[in-house]
Amino acid sequence: MHTPLKKKRLRLLAAGAAIACGALAVAPATAFASPVVQAETTSDADASTFRIATSGFVDSFNPFISIYLLPTNTIRYMYESLVQNSAEDGSPTEGLAEKWSTEDGGKKWVYTLHKDMKWSDGKPITSADVKYTYEQMMNVPELGTANGNLVTNFASVEAPDDLTVVINMKEPQAPNPGSEIPIVPKHVWEKIDKPAEFMNDSDVVGSGSFLLESYKANESITLKANPNFWRGAPKVDKLQYVYYTSSDAKVQALKAGDVDFVSDLEPTQFKALEGVDGITTHSGLGRRYASLTINPGYKTRDGKEYGTGNPALRDVEVRQAIRLGTDTKTLLDKVLDGQGVSATSFIPSSFPKWHLSDDDPAIVKFDPAAAKAKLDKAGWVVGSDGIREKDGKKLEINFLVTATEPVEQATAEFLVPWMKDIGIKLNVESTDSDTSSTRSMKADFDMMFTGWSVNPDPDYQLGINTCMNLPTNEDGTGGTTQDGYCNPEFDKLYKEQRSELDEGKRQKIVHDMLAMNYTDTVQIATWYKNGLEAYRSDRFDGFTTQPKDGGIIANQAGYWGFLTVAPVEGSSSTSGQGATTGLLIAGGVVLVVVIGGVIFYLVRRKNSADVE
Amino acid sequence: MSNSVPPSTTAIATSAHAEEHTRDTSAIRYLFSKLGGAAISLGMVIVLGFFAFKILPGDPVASIAKQRSMSPEQMDMLREQFGLNKPLWQQFIDYLVNVFTLNFGESYVYKTSVSSLIAQYFWPTILLTGTAAILAIVLGLWLGQKAAWKHGSRFDKFVSSSSLVLWSVPTFWLGLILLMVFGGTLHWFPTGGMRSPNPPTDFLGASIDIASHMVLPVITMVAVVYAQYLMVMRSSLVEEMSADYLTTARAKGLRDVQVRRRHAVPNAMLPTVTLIFMHLGGLIAGAVTVETVFSWPGLGKLTFEAITGPDLPLLQGTFVVFSTIIIAMNFIADLIYRQLDPRVRRA
């Protein structure tokens, strides 16, 4: 059946197919040409876009209501507050206000704003904006969602002239009331219908170093530099948060050059990035503390007992014995891989002014013999199985750990033998984080892990350790207590420090309080974990850490981290091209498959034609 | 990823009645019985969607406010905003009213309506899983019929066993390996997301941008799921191959390829098509893992974030949507099966 005509037709077909394939090959090449050009043009812009990998939640960018970490950190860049937490040690430094003073023993705070400051839309920043912001928070409960607790002591706010703000306090207050509250432009916000529902997620008018330009949920947050920022315009044009769900993906994105900065790394990820070309790792002193909280017997504010804590733990000697039998140095080295600082109290060492120093006389060392002596003194006798008993009851305590936290699991591994050594049986119970947070609230535990991020001023953290903040209800609601701690002596000192304007004296009182809490042992502070971060040092440098000496870059109590970041001379983006190369390869593969398919088809056609 | 979907009831043909029915009434009865079954499942899903998440331990407000400087008053205000201060029955009725008006309330975290969130995240999931499904089906069926035709051969053994190996690989792990090799190390493909942070604005550029982001997640999904299509196609074709009509076809002098393509494969497609539909629902639900690994902004990732929140209204919303898709796909599978297989029609 092979006629010359048919052969000719086949050849024609093959030639046609070849031409079609050629066209196909050229088409993607031209198609790819445009993104390549695009990638090159954006790479110029990229040289001054600093990209940060994130996985944080965004509720809104409204400074009155936003409570999640990522938007709160973003808002720090968007709106300046009256007083800023310094990079050095977090102590109050200039914000919108250049100076301030107190009158009437701390009942009146007077601020003077910098001259000639402008909002990003060019309108002047005046004391009326400050007054408006504070009064909104004081008078509209919904607008107090984010920082309402900071204005509860405000009696009234005055703006006698454009540059002066006066805050009248109900009670004398030593912590600077002007910090932490973002000031919004009155001329913009007073026109908003329902400010409590306003998302504030595009074209923000602000006073900070960077302003929100756009937000794509679960994709990216883009901030642009504010040329009107009173400290001067930043050195990069944009900050961009790029979303990654898993922390492993973040690490890969940094390696690939898709982002320039990652934070909150695990020690293993951190190690894997050490020595990678173009990447610098940074382990900085954080502002979080972790502790083992011991249930001392929870009570409501009016003295009703609740919770399921082991009664043995109400005895301070038993709690102290647990501390003496716990080797926090080893925990830090083995469990946290040494990436942190040994803790003394709930005020981290990154705030050296308030932190309880290691050589304070109250501090005790790991000493199992002393622990045993304490338990002997408390009447707990070692039984035949090595576990202590009193009145026929064994000294068994329950340790609640979160199943998804390797650090807690590992801590338990160490604690069990240590406790057994001093005669305490530790029962480890593993559960999910929601259950453990509920059980913590209901005081349904003996011992468990906890941790907080602490602000530069210690007032809040001290406050939640007073009897005043015990819950009002027996289900644990209606209070914000940290460890169920209540000591009238501590409360008395709390009041004193709150109105002590002499910083040296206040410092002394705070140290006394921390030592008192240490001795009462409702918690054993284990460590201040370092923030593990890494960045593309081939593209950017010039970060300002907080504290300036060895601190963290992201998650500061301030906006210093990315304020001074600058592109490295002669750097350019590596992203884009990489993806384009990949795409070209993929395109090539597709092309081969298509060509192969066409040839295959032609051959098949020929074969079946032969049969029929 | 859930690879298995419970077998449809159609697999077991309803018991044959002795009496003859007209085709119309039996068709309508069949439709209604399937529709009724789907409706009951949906009703149960809706009720379960409320109670399953209500019995979850934990106070959502406490979780959200965890480790934040919040006063009890601030927390009470959040409880009121979320409607958590209402009695349970009241919350249930609110939820039912919400569901029937296709509105799942307001997300705790995103502060916007759950239905608008779902609408926004729905299409990226469809794009990703749709592409993966088409590729997996084509690849699975094609390899499946080839393997069956030469069953017992080296080709068959290699294709079947390699697909089964991939099927048993944890999706998360495979995705992560691809991400590390082709994203982090070789820089061929983006490491996550659906678009570059500064995507090209022209249509072609934007499409290529999205396509490059799709490559790794699609490969991951296809690699893990194509085995099920392959195995179904293979086994039903192997069964078909012993049938007499194939001998007849061969006797006519048809070539092997033609016997396979024109006679055996179409018949073997019967069970395959229904299974494809049943698996599609599972595939969409399985997007949770892939979207999480590759930070793909779809329903799966939204669900993952809702779990970490925890964001109960959002969890309820995605749960009902995923379940509805699965129920709908099973329903369609039932209908198609009946349409394709005269034996079910007659039964």
PDB file of all heavy atoms in Angstrom, chain B residues 73-102:
ATOM      1  N   GLU B  73     -11.542  42.808  80.983  1.00  0.00           N
ATOM      2  CA  GLU B  73     -12.599  43.550  80.265  1.00  0.00           C
ATOM      3  C   GLU B  73     -12.402  43.421  78.765  1.00  0.00           C
ATOM      4  O   GLU B  73     -13.347  43.216  78.008  1.00  0.00           O
ATOM      5  CB  GLU B  73     -12.573  45.037  80.648  1.00  0.00           C
ATOM      6  CG  GLU B  73     -12.991  45.341  82.085  1.00  0.00           C
ATOM      7  CD  GLU B  73     -11.892  45.034  83.096  1.00  0.00           C
ATOM      8  OE1 GLU B  73     -10.694  45.062  82.704  1.00  0.00           O
ATOM      9  OE2 GLU B  73     -12.222  44.732  84.263  1.00  0.00           O
ATOM     10  N   GLN B  74     -11.129  43.533  78.338  1.00  0.00           N
ATOM     11  CA  GLN B  74     -10.852  43.405  76.903  1.00  0.00           C
ATOM     12  C   GLN B  74     -11.229  42.017  76.401  1.00  0.00           C
ATOM     13  O   GLN B  74     -11.776  41.866  75.318  1.00  0.00           O
ATOM     14  CB  GLN B  74      -9.361  43.670  76.637  1.00  0.00           C
ATOM     15  CG  GLN B  74      -8.972  45.130  76.726  1.00  0.00           C
ATOM     16  CD  GLN B  74      -7.456  45.302  76.725  1.00  0.00           C
ATOM     17  OE1 GLN B  74      -6.797  45.025  77.709  1.00  0.00           O
ATOM     18  NE2 GLN B  74      -6.900  45.737  75.620  1.00  0.00           N
ATOM     19  N   MET B  75     -10.964  40.997  77.241  1.00  0.00           N
ATOM     20  CA  MET B  75     -11.282  39.635  76.834  1.00  0.00           C
ATOM     21  C   MET B  75     -12.788  39.404  76.789  1.00  0.00           C
ATOM     22  O   MET B  75     -13.295  38.737  75.893  1.00  0.00           O
ATOM     23  CB  MET B  75     -10.594  38.630  77.761  1.00  0.00           C
ATOM     24  CG  MET B  75      -9.098  38.583  77.490  1.00  0.00           C
ATOM     25  SD  MET B  75      -8.135  37.627  78.652  1.00  0.00           S
ATOM     26  CE  MET B  75      -8.674  35.983  78.338  1.00  0.00           C
ATOM     27  N   ASP B  76     -13.487  39.984  77.751  1.00  0.00           N
ATOM     28  CA  ASP B  76     -14.955  39.859  77.745  1.00  0.00           C
ATOM     29  C   ASP B  76     -15.546  40.485  76.491  1.00  0.00           C
ATOM     30  O   ASP B  76     -16.517  39.982  75.917  1.00  0.00           O
ATOM     31  CB  ASP B  76     -15.552  40.525  78.989  1.00  0.00           C
ATOM     32  CG  ASP B  76     -15.341  39.662  80.233  1.00  0.00           C
ATOM     33  OD1 ASP B  76     -15.023  38.463  80.059  1.00  0.00           O
ATOM     34  OD2 ASP B  76     -15.475  40.183  81.352  1.00  0.00           O
ATOM     35  N   MET B  77     -14.921  41.592  76.073  1.00  0.00           N
ATOM     36  CA  MET B  77     -15.425  42.266  74.888  1.00  0.00           C
ATOM     37  C   MET B  77     -15.257  41.372  73.660  1.00  0.00           C
ATOM     38  O   MET B  77     -16.149  41.299  72.818  1.00  0.00           O
ATOM     39  CB  MET B  77     -14.667  43.569  74.689  1.00  0.00           C
ATOM     40  CG  MET B  77     -15.482  44.627  74.027  1.00  0.00           C
ATOM     41  SD  MET B  77     -14.734  46.218  74.342  1.00  0.00           S
ATOM     42  CE  MET B  77     -13.138  45.972  73.631  1.00  0.00           C
ATOM     43  N   LEU B  78     -14.129  40.688  73.594  1.00  0.00           N
ATOM     44  CA  LEU B  78     -13.905  39.762  72.476  1.00  0.00           C
ATOM     45  C   LEU B  78     -14.943  38.643  72.505  1.00  0.00           C
ATOM     46  O   LEU B  78     -15.506  38.272  71.480  1.00  0.00           O
ATOM     47  CB  LEU B  78     -12.502  39.147  72.555  1.00  0.00           C
ATOM     48  CG  LEU B  78     -11.341  39.994  72.036  1.00  0.00           C
ATOM     49  CD1 LEU B  78     -10.041  39.228  72.154  1.00  0.00           C
ATOM     50  CD2 LEU B  78     -11.566  40.374  70.577  1.00  0.00           C
ATOM     51  N   ARG B  79     -15.212  38.112  73.722  1.00  0.00           N
ATOM     52  CA  ARG B  79     -16.201  37.030  73.844  1.00  0.00           C
ATOM     53  C   ARG B  79     -17.550  37.499  73.313  1.00  0.00           C
ATOM     54  O   ARG B  79     -18.253  36.766  72.630  1.00  0.00           O
ATOM     55  CB  ARG B  79     -16.351  36.611  75.308  1.00  0.00           C
ATOM     56  CG  ARG B  79     -15.312  35.623  75.706  1.00  0.00           C
ATOM     57  CD  ARG B  79     -15.603  34.926  77.013  1.00  0.00           C
ATOM     58  NE  ARG B  79     -14.390  34.237  77.393  1.00  0.00           N
ATOM     59  CZ  ARG B  79     -13.440  34.774  78.164  1.00  0.00           C
ATOM     60  NH1 ARG B  79     -13.609  35.966  78.686  1.00  0.00           N
ATOM     61  NH2 ARG B  79     -12.345  34.110  78.408  1.00  0.00           N
ATOM     62  N   GLU B  80     -17.888  38.745  73.637  1.00  0.00           N
ATOM     63  CA  GLU B  80     -19.166  39.270  73.199  1.00  0.00           C
ATOM     64  C   GLU B  80     -19.171  39.415  71.676  1.00  0.00           C
ATOM     65  O   GLU B  80     -20.137  39.035  71.011  1.00  0.00           O
ATOM     66  CB  GLU B  80     -19.394  40.616  73.874  1.00  0.00           C
ATOM     67  CG  GLU B  80     -20.851  40.992  73.974  1.00  0.00           C
ATOM     68  CD  GLU B  80     -20.990  42.342  74.656  1.00  0.00           C
ATOM     69  OE1 GLU B  80     -20.556  42.460  75.814  1.00  0.00           O
ATOM     70  OE2 GLU B  80     -21.511  43.263  74.012  1.00  0.00           O
ATOM     71  N   GLN B  81     -18.066  39.931  71.141  1.00  0.00           N
ATOM     72  CA  GLN B  81     -17.966  40.083  69.684  1.00  0.00           C
ATOM     73  C   GLN B  81     -18.133  38.747  68.970  1.00  0.00           C
ATOM     74  O   GLN B  81     -18.754  38.665  67.927  1.00  0.00           O
ATOM     75  CB  GLN B  81     -16.585  40.643  69.314  1.00  0.00           C
ATOM     76  CG  GLN B  81     -16.479  42.143  69.383  1.00  0.00           C
ATOM     77  CD  GLN B  81     -15.059  42.599  69.068  1.00  0.00           C
ATOM     78  OE1 GLN B  81     -14.284  41.902  68.422  1.00  0.00           O
ATOM     79  NE2 GLN B  81     -14.719  43.797  69.532  1.00  0.00           N
ATOM     80  N   PHE B  82     -17.585  37.688  69.551  1.00  0.00           N
ATOM     81  CA  PHE B  82     -17.643  36.368  68.922  1.00  0.00           C
ATOM     82  C   PHE B  82     -18.949  35.646  69.231  1.00  0.00           C
ATOM     83  O   PHE B  82     -19.173  34.549  68.745  1.00  0.00           O
ATOM     84  CB  PHE B  82     -16.477  35.491  69.408  1.00  0.00           C
ATOM     85  CG  PHE B  82     -15.120  36.009  69.041  1.00  0.00           C
ATOM     86  CD1 PHE B  82     -13.995  35.544  69.689  1.00  0.00           C
ATOM     87  CD2 PHE B  82     -14.962  36.953  68.047  1.00  0.00           C
ATOM     88  CE1 PHE B  82     -12.728  36.014  69.350  1.00  0.00           C
ATOM     89  CE2 PHE B  82     -13.696  37.436  67.707  1.00  0.00           C
ATOM     90  CZ  PHE B  82     -12.587  36.967  68.368  1.00  0.00           C
ATOM     91  N   GLY B  83     -19.786  36.240  70.065  1.00  0.00           N
ATOM     92  CA  GLY B  83     -21.049  35.600  70.419  1.00  0.00           C
ATOM     93  C   GLY B  83     -20.864  34.424  71.359  1.00  0.00           C
ATOM     94  O   GLY B  83     -21.732  33.557  71.472  1.00  0.00           O
ATOM     95  N   LEU B  84     -19.745  34.358  72.059  1.00  0.00           N
ATOM     96  CA  LEU B  84     -19.474  33.203  72.917  1.00  0.00           C
ATOM     97  C   LEU B  84     -20.147  33.318  74.273  1.00  0.00           C
ATOM     98  O   LEU B  84     -20.156  32.371  75.048  1.00  0.00           O
ATOM     99  CB  LEU B  84     -17.958  33.049  73.119  1.00  0.00           C
ATOM    100  CG  LEU B  84     -17.196  32.590  71.890  1.00  0.00           C
ATOM    101  CD1 LEU B  84     -15.708  32.736  72.100  1.00  0.00           C
ATOM    102  CD2 LEU B  84     -17.538  31.149  71.564  1.00  0.00           C
ATOM    103  N   ASN B  85     -20.703  34.497  74.561  1.00  0.00           N
ATOM    104  CA  ASN B  85     -21.370  34.650  75.853  1.00  0.00           C
ATOM    105  C   ASN B  85     -22.817  34.163  75.796  1.00  0.00           C
ATOM    106  O   ASN B  85     -23.487  34.076  76.804  1.00  0.00           O
ATOM    107  CB  ASN B  85     -21.300  36.104  76.322  1.00  0.00           C
ATOM    108  CG  ASN B  85     -21.782  37.070  75.256  1.00  0.00           C
ATOM    109  OD1 ASN B  85     -21.939  36.690  74.089  1.00  0.00           O
ATOM    110  ND2 ASN B  85     -22.038  38.301  75.631  1.00  0.00           N
ATOM    111  N   LYS B  86     -23.287  33.834  74.584  1.00  0.00           N
ATOM    112  CA  LYS B  86     -24.661  33.342  74.445  1.00  0.00           C
ATOM    113  C   LYS B  86     -24.734  31.873  74.855  1.00  0.00           C
ATOM    114  O   LYS B  86     -23.737  31.153  74.752  1.00  0.00           O
ATOM    115  CB  LYS B  86     -25.119  33.468  72.989  1.00  0.00           C
ATOM    116  CG  LYS B  86     -25.265  34.892  72.527  1.00  0.00           C
ATOM    117  CD  LYS B  86     -25.749  34.887  71.087  1.00  0.00           C
ATOM    118  CE  LYS B  86     -25.740  36.281  70.496  1.00  0.00           C
ATOM    119  NZ  LYS B  86     -25.903  36.246  69.042  1.00  0.00           N
ATOM    120  N   PRO B  87     -25.949  31.415  75.279  1.00  0.00           N
ATOM    121  CA  PRO B  87     -26.082  29.985  75.591  1.00  0.00           C
ATOM    122  C   PRO B  87     -25.871  29.130  74.338  1.00  0.00           C
ATOM    123  O   PRO B  87     -26.059  29.607  73.220  1.00  0.00           O
ATOM    124  CB  PRO B  87     -27.515  29.852  76.098  1.00  0.00           C
ATOM    125  CG  PRO B  87     -28.204  31.099  75.715  1.00  0.00           C
ATOM    126  CD  PRO B  87     -27.168  32.163  75.544  1.00  0.00           C
ATOM    127  N   LEU B  88     -25.488  27.860  74.563  1.00  0.00           N
ATOM    128  CA  LEU B  88     -25.107  26.987  73.458  1.00  0.00           C
ATOM    129  C   LEU B  88     -26.216  26.852  72.415  1.00  0.00           C
ATOM    130  O   LEU B  88     -25.973  26.908  71.217  1.00  0.00           O
ATOM    131  CB  LEU B  88     -24.719  25.611  74.017  1.00  0.00           C
ATOM    132  CG  LEU B  88     -23.942  24.727  73.059  1.00  0.00           C
ATOM    133  CD1 LEU B  88     -22.602  25.347  72.718  1.00  0.00           C
ATOM    134  CD2 LEU B  88     -23.742  23.336  73.641  1.00  0.00           C
ATOM    135  N   TRP B  89     -27.476  26.676  72.900  1.00  0.00           N
ATOM    136  CA  TRP B  89     -28.567  26.476  71.928  1.00  0.00           C
ATOM    137  C   TRP B  89     -28.722  27.709  71.041  1.00  0.00           C
ATOM    138  O   TRP B  89     -28.969  27.628  69.856  1.00  0.00           O
ATOM    139  CB  TRP B  89     -29.879  26.107  72.641  1.00  0.00           C
ATOM    140  CG  TRP B  89     -30.405  27.183  73.560  1.00  0.00           C
ATOM    141  CD1 TRP B  89     -30.171  27.289  74.902  1.00  0.00           C
ATOM    142  CD2 TRP B  89     -31.232  28.287  73.210  1.00  0.00           C
ATOM    143  NE1 TRP B  89     -30.795  28.400  75.407  1.00  0.00           N
ATOM    144  CE2 TRP B  89     -31.466  29.028  74.397  1.00  0.00           C
ATOM    145  CE3 TRP B  89     -31.831  28.722  72.016  1.00  0.00           C
ATOM    146  CZ2 TRP B  89     -32.240  30.180  74.427  1.00  0.00           C
ATOM    147  CZ3 TRP B  89     -32.612  29.877  72.043  1.00  0.00           C
ATOM    148  CH2 TRP B  89     -32.805  30.594  73.237  1.00  0.00           C
ATOM    149  N   GLN B  90     -28.524  28.871  71.646  1.00  0.00           N
ATOM    150  CA  GLN B  90     -28.640  30.112  70.888  1.00  0.00           C
ATOM    151  C   GLN B  90     -27.529  30.180  69.821  1.00  0.00           C
ATOM    152  O   GLN B  90     -27.773  30.536  68.668  1.00  0.00           O
ATOM    153  CB  GLN B  90     -28.519  31.302  71.854  1.00  0.00           C
ATOM    154  CG  GLN B  90     -28.665  32.663  71.191  1.00  0.00           C
ATOM    155  CD  GLN B  90     -30.089  32.939  70.761  1.00  0.00           C
ATOM    156  OE1 GLN B  90     -31.019  32.781  71.553  1.00  0.00           O
ATOM    157  NE2 GLN B  90     -30.274  33.306  69.505  1.00  0.00           N
ATOM    158  N   GLN B  91     -26.328  29.766  70.235  1.00  0.00           N
ATOM    159  CA  GLN B  91     -25.211  29.756  69.288  1.00  0.00           C
ATOM    160  C   GLN B  91     -25.491  28.778  68.142  1.00  0.00           C
ATOM    161  O   GLN B  91     -25.162  29.051  66.993  1.00  0.00           O
ATOM    162  CB  GLN B  91     -23.913  29.345  69.996  1.00  0.00           C
ATOM    163  CG  GLN B  91     -23.403  30.368  70.978  1.00  0.00           C
ATOM    164  CD  GLN B  91     -22.083  29.919  71.610  1.00  0.00           C
ATOM    165  OE1 GLN B  91     -21.232  29.328  70.954  1.00  0.00           O
ATOM    166  NE2 GLN B  91     -21.909  30.200  72.889  1.00  0.00           N
ATOM    167  N   PHE B  92     -26.121  27.637  68.494  1.00  0.00           N
ATOM    168  CA  PHE B  92     -26.418  26.616  67.483  1.00  0.00           C
ATOM    169  C   PHE B  92     -27.434  27.154  66.472  1.00  0.00           C
ATOM    170  O   PHE B  92     -27.291  26.994  65.263  1.00  0.00           O
ATOM    171  CB  PHE B  92     -26.943  25.351  68.155  1.00  0.00           C
ATOM    172  CG  PHE B  92     -27.208  24.222  67.198  1.00  0.00           C
ATOM    173  CD1 PHE B  92     -26.195  23.722  66.390  1.00  0.00           C
ATOM    174  CD2 PHE B  92     -28.477  23.667  67.101  1.00  0.00           C
ATOM    175  CE1 PHE B  92     -26.435  22.681  65.500  1.00  0.00           C
ATOM    176  CE2 PHE B  92     -28.726  22.628  66.208  1.00  0.00           C
ATOM    177  CZ  PHE B  92     -27.705  22.136  65.408  1.00  0.00           C
ATOM    178  N   ILE B  93     -28.475  27.824  66.991  1.00  0.00           N
ATOM    179  CA  ILE B  93     -29.489  28.377  66.095  1.00  0.00           C
ATOM    180  C   ILE B  93     -28.878  29.457  65.205  1.00  0.00           C
ATOM    181  O   ILE B  93     -29.098  29.485  63.988  1.00  0.00           O
ATOM    182  CB  ILE B  93     -30.685  28.917  66.908  1.00  0.00           C
ATOM    183  CG1 ILE B  93     -31.450  27.714  67.487  1.00  0.00           C
ATOM    184  CG2 ILE B  93     -31.603  29.777  66.044  1.00  0.00           C
ATOM    185  CD1 ILE B  93     -32.564  28.059  68.408  1.00  0.00           C
ATOM    186  N   ASP B  94     -28.047  30.306  65.808  1.00  0.00           N
ATOM    187  CA  ASP B  94     -27.364  31.328  65.009  1.00  0.00           C
ATOM    188  C   ASP B  94     -26.554  30.678  63.885  1.00  0.00           C
ATOM    189  O   ASP B  94     -26.572  31.130  62.747  1.00  0.00           O
ATOM    190  CB  ASP B  94     -26.390  32.146  65.884  1.00  0.00           C
ATOM    191  CG  ASP B  94     -27.137  33.067  66.832  1.00  0.00           C
ATOM    192  OD1 ASP B  94     -28.372  33.173  66.696  1.00  0.00           O
ATOM    193  OD2 ASP B  94     -26.485  33.664  67.710  1.00  0.00           O
ATOM    194  N   TYR B  95     -25.893  29.587  64.258  1.00  0.00           N
ATOM    195  CA  TYR B  95     -25.054  28.886  63.287  1.00  0.00           C
ATOM    196  C   TYR B  95     -25.899  28.308  62.153  1.00  0.00           C
ATOM    197  O   TYR B  95     -25.576  28.460  60.971  1.00  0.00           O
ATOM    198  CB  TYR B  95     -24.273  27.791  64.013  1.00  0.00           C
ATOM    199  CG  TYR B  95     -23.649  26.729  63.140  1.00  0.00           C
ATOM    200  CD1 TYR B  95     -22.443  26.958  62.488  1.00  0.00           C
ATOM    201  CD2 TYR B  95     -24.261  25.487  62.983  1.00  0.00           C
ATOM    202  CE1 TYR B  95     -21.859  25.983  61.700  1.00  0.00           C
ATOM    203  CE2 TYR B  95     -23.690  24.508  62.190  1.00  0.00           C
ATOM    204  CZ  TYR B  95     -22.491  24.755  61.547  1.00  0.00           C
ATOM    205  OH  TYR B  95     -21.930  23.779  60.763  1.00  0.00           O
ATOM    206  N   LEU B  96     -27.048  27.666  62.529  1.00  0.00           N
ATOM    207  CA  LEU B  96     -27.914  27.078  61.503  1.00  0.00           C
ATOM    208  C   LEU B  96     -28.419  28.153  60.553  1.00  0.00           C
ATOM    209  O   LEU B  96     -28.393  27.996  59.333  1.00  0.00           O
ATOM    210  CB  LEU B  96     -29.090  26.347  62.149  1.00  0.00           C
ATOM    211  CG  LEU B  96     -28.777  24.989  62.781  1.00  0.00           C
ATOM    212  CD1 LEU B  96     -30.052  24.339  63.278  1.00  0.00           C
ATOM    213  CD2 LEU B  96     -28.075  24.069  61.776  1.00  0.00           C
ATOM    214  N   VAL B  97     -28.876  29.261  61.136  1.00  0.00           N
ATOM    215  CA  VAL B  97     -29.380  30.363  60.310  1.00  0.00           C
ATOM    216  C   VAL B  97     -28.268  30.826  59.368  1.00  0.00           C
ATOM    217  O   VAL B  97     -28.489  31.008  58.173  1.00  0.00           O
ATOM    218  CB  VAL B  97     -29.869  31.528  61.207  1.00  0.00           C
ATOM    219  CG1 VAL B  97     -30.161  32.762  60.357  1.00  0.00           C
ATOM    220  CG2 VAL B  97     -31.093  31.101  61.990  1.00  0.00           C
ATOM    221  N   ASN B  98     -27.084  30.939  59.933  1.00  0.00           N
ATOM    222  CA  ASN B  98     -25.936  31.353  59.124  1.00  0.00           C
ATOM    223  C   ASN B  98     -25.686  30.400  57.967  1.00  0.00           C
ATOM    224  O   ASN B  98     -25.529  30.818  56.831  1.00  0.00           O
ATOM    225  CB  ASN B  98     -24.668  31.391  59.990  1.00  0.00           C
ATOM    226  CG  ASN B  98     -24.549  32.688  60.743  1.00  0.00           C
ATOM    227  OD1 ASN B  98     -25.195  33.676  60.386  1.00  0.00           O
ATOM    228  ND2 ASN B  98     -23.758  32.690  61.778  1.00  0.00           N
ATOM    229  N   VAL B  99     -25.672  29.091  58.274  1.00  0.00           N
ATOM    230  CA  VAL B  99     -25.350  28.112  57.238  1.00  0.00           C
ATOM    231  C   VAL B  99     -26.380  28.168  56.117  1.00  0.00           C
ATOM    232  O   VAL B  99     -26.030  28.147  54.938  1.00  0.00           O
ATOM    233  CB  VAL B  99     -25.264  26.693  57.831  1.00  0.00           C
ATOM    234  CG1 VAL B  99     -25.183  25.661  56.729  1.00  0.00           C
ATOM    235  CG2 VAL B  99     -24.056  26.576  58.740  1.00  0.00           C
ATOM    236  N   PHE B 100     -27.651  28.282  56.496  1.00  0.00           N
ATOM    237  CA  PHE B 100     -28.681  28.262  55.455  1.00  0.00           C
ATOM    238  C   PHE B 100     -28.723  29.554  54.647  1.00  0.00           C
ATOM    239  O   PHE B 100     -29.308  29.607  53.582  1.00  0.00           O
ATOM    240  CB  PHE B 100     -30.038  27.901  56.053  1.00  0.00           C
ATOM    241  CG  PHE B 100     -30.124  26.430  56.357  1.00  0.00           C
ATOM    242  CD1 PHE B 100     -30.093  25.964  57.660  1.00  0.00           C
ATOM    243  CD2 PHE B 100     -30.150  25.499  55.318  1.00  0.00           C
ATOM    244  CE1 PHE B 100     -30.118  24.610  57.935  1.00  0.00           C
ATOM    245  CE2 PHE B 100     -30.166  24.137  55.588  1.00  0.00           C
ATOM    246  CZ  PHE B 100     -30.144  23.688  56.897  1.00  0.00           C
ATOM    247  N   THR B 101     -28.090  30.583  55.162  1.00  0.00           N
ATOM    248  CA  THR B 101     -27.981  31.787  54.345  1.00  0.00           C
ATOM    249  C   THR B 101     -26.574  31.858  53.742  1.00  0.00           C
ATOM    250  O   THR B 101     -26.132  32.911  53.305  1.00  0.00           O
ATOM    251  CB  THR B 101     -28.257  33.041  55.188  1.00  0.00           C
ATOM    252  OG1 THR B 101     -27.431  32.984  56.362  1.00  0.00           O
ATOM    253  CG2 THR B 101     -29.701  33.129  55.610  1.00  0.00           C
ATOM    254  N   LEU B 102     -25.904  30.702  53.729  1.00  0.00           N
ATOM    255  CA  LEU B 102     -24.568  30.570  53.154  1.00  0.00           C
ATOM    256  C   LEU B 102     -23.587  31.577  53.730  1.00  0.00           C
ATOM    257  O   LEU B 102     -22.841  32.238  53.027  1.00  0.00           O
ATOM    258  CB  LEU B 102     -24.622  30.719  51.632  1.00  0.00           C
ATOM    259  CG  LEU B 102     -25.219  29.539  50.899  1.00  0.00           C
ATOM    260  CD1 LEU B 102     -25.160  29.771  49.401  1.00  0.00           C
ATOM    261  CD2 LEU B 102     -24.483  28.259  51.263  1.00  0.00           C
TER     262      LEU B 102
END
